[in-house]
Amino acid sequence: VYDGGTDYYIKVTDSPIKQEEVKDDSGKTMGTQYTYQLLGSDEEGHTKEIEFYVYKEQPLRKNAYLKMVINEKRGPLRWEEVVESKIPERAKEKIE
C-alpha cells in the first residue's frame, strides 16, 4: 500500500510557489528546496493538483515533462524528467 503508486505526468508550466534554503542540524546550508503545485494527469486522463518539492541547485526547467509516482497515502514518491513522446496521449491533452 505504501510503496506502489500511480504514474502521473506533469508539465512544468509555473515557477515554484515557494523556495527556501535547507540547512542541516548545525545550520550549514545544504541546498535549495523548490515547492511546486502543478496539474498532473494519469494515462487515462484523470487529473489532480499535485504539490511536490525538489532539492536542486536551480528550479526545474520551464516546459519540462515529468513522470511522477503518486501514492494515495504518502503522496509523491519519486519523479523523473521524460521526453514529450513518452507521455500517453490522454495525459498530454490534459496537461498542455
Side-chain angles (χ1 to χ4, degrees), residues 7-47:
D7 291 343
Y8 276 83
Y9 299 88
I10 297 167
K11 183 175 182 181
V12 180
T13 54
D14 294 324
S15 299
I17 59 172
K18 192 162 84 176
Q19 172 180 335
E20 59 190 339
E21 296 298 314
V22 177
K23 299 180 187 292
D24 67 12
D25 293 338
S26 69
K28 180 180 174 222
T29 300
M30 307 266 300
T32 305
Q33 175 180 301
Y34 298 95
T35 303
Y36 291 87
Q37 190 167 21
L38 297 167
L39 182 69
S41 175
D42 67 12
E43 61 185 35
E44 295 172 7
H46 302 113
T47 60

Side-chain angles (χ1 to χ4, degrees), residues 12-95:
V12 180
T13 54
D14 294 324
S15 299
I17 59 172
K18 192 162 84 176
Q19 172 180 335
E20 59 190 339
E21 296 298 314
V22 177
K23 299 180 187 292
D24 67 12
D25 293 338
S26 69
K28 180 180 174 222
T29 300
M30 307 266 300
T32 305
Q33 175 180 301
Y34 298 95
T35 303
Y36 291 87
Q37 190 167 21
L38 297 167
L39 182 69
S41 175
D42 67 12
E43 61 185 35
E44 295 172 7
H46 302 113
T47 60
K48 67 159 74 177
E49 281 287 323
I50 299 171
E51 185 169 315
F52 63 98
Y53 57 87
V54 296
Y55 293 102
K56 292 180 65 82
E57 290 185 14
Q58 56 196 25
L60 293 170
R61 191 170 51 81
K62 258 302 204 290
N63 296 317
Y65 292 96
L66 308 178
K67 177 181 174 183
M68 185 172 290
V69 178
I70 307 290
N71 180 283
E72 268 187 50
K73 302 238 186 274
R74 293 178 57 204
L77 298 179
R78 58 190 170 277
W79 64 274
E80 64 181 326
E81 188 169 333
V82 294
V83 294
E84 185 177 355
S85 61
K86 296 280 187 195
I87 298 174
E89 201 53 48
R90 281 187 176 159
K92 192 172 165 199
E93 288 171 7
K94 300 290 183 169
I95 63 174

